[in-house]
Amino acid sequence: DASRGAPIMLHLDRLVLIASSLASAILAVAVYSRAPERVWHRLFAIHAGGVALWIFLNYLLQVANTRAEADLWLRLTHPAVALVICTCLDLFWIFPEQTQAAPLRLRIGLYAVGAVVSLVGLAPNLYGSLEIASGTILVEYGWPFQVFGAFTALTLGYADYVLIRKMPRLTGLQR
């Protein structure tokens, strides 16, 4: 019976979210403890910790029993994702060539924009509808989510540009 397989897959998805979150947290600790004096190890640890938090918030969103609970976890994912995106770009500015973090002014600007964009999660019209159906959360996003999407696309697009510019100078494993 196909209807009995759906709950098993739903629980498997939740198990994958927990395992991924735990794996990211372990990776953060492992990389940091290997060489905490290296700036890229610290940045990667913060990045992986942010990924672990983001995945865990998605798990909490999927297991939410009420609309209010789902609303809370959905809104908290935005600051976590903004942190992940900012740490990704911050890491790419320096890795694998430099031993010092990017200039402070540049980093403050990046994280300030990330903080402002993460406030999209507080917008009352972040989503038009949020339903708990068949054991999962269905969200129809409103226009503020487009602002967050533009930030994500532009920031990660710029991160790709940074890496592509570095490629001709890198060799071997660094490339």
Side-chain angles (χ1 to χ4, degrees):
D1 182 47
S3 64
R4 288 194 333 223
I8 292 171
M9 289 306 293
L10 184 65
H11 294 298
L12 183 60
D13 290 349
R14 292 174 180 174
L15 182 62
V16 168
L17 286 171
I18 288 292
S20 298
S21 180
L22 186 59
S24 293
I26 290 169
L27 186 60
V29 171
V31 168
Y32 179 80
S33 63
R34 185 167 178 233
E37 70 281 357
R38 292 188 181 157
V39 68
W40 56 79
H41 283 224
R42 292 189 306 266
L43 280 172
F44 182 83
I46 294 168
H47 176 72
V51 168
L53 174 63
W54 175 39
I55 294 170
F56 186 68
L57 288 169
N58 279 296
Y59 165 78
L60 292 174
L61 177 62
Q62 287 302 312
V63 299
N65 292 316
T66 66
R67 190 167 183 247
E69 187 180 356
D71 177 79
L72 172 67
W73 301 131
L74 179 66
R75 291 179 184 283
L76 289 176
T77 60
H78 288 83
V81 174
L83 172 70
V84 167
I85 292 169
C86 290
T87 57
C88 181
L89 180 54
D90 199 0
L91 179 62
F92 289 173
W93 278 334
I94 61 161
F95 187 79
E97 306 170 298
Q98 300 173 6
T99 58
Q100 299 297 317
L104 185 59
R105 190 180 71 199
L106 194 60
R107 295 179 81 209
I108 288 173
L110 170 66
Y111 287 99
V113 169
V116 168
V117 171
S118 73
L119 294 176
V120 164
L122 298 177
N125 53 351
L126 172 66
Y127 58 85
S129 69
L130 187 145
E131 297 177 35
I132 301 174
S134 302
T136 192
I137 306 299
L138 303 173
V139 180
E140 182 183 312
Y141 286 98
W143 71 265
F145 190 71
Q146 293 173 1
V147 172
F148 197 84
F151 165 76
T152 301
L154 291 171
T155 309
L156 293 180
Y158 179 68
D160 286 342
Y161 170 74
V162 167
L163 290 176
I164 290 168
R165 276 194 34 225
K166 288 182 176 188
M167 219 167 44
R169 295 188 310 268
L170 303 176
T171 60
L173 186 58
Q174 285 182 337
R175 184 178 272 187

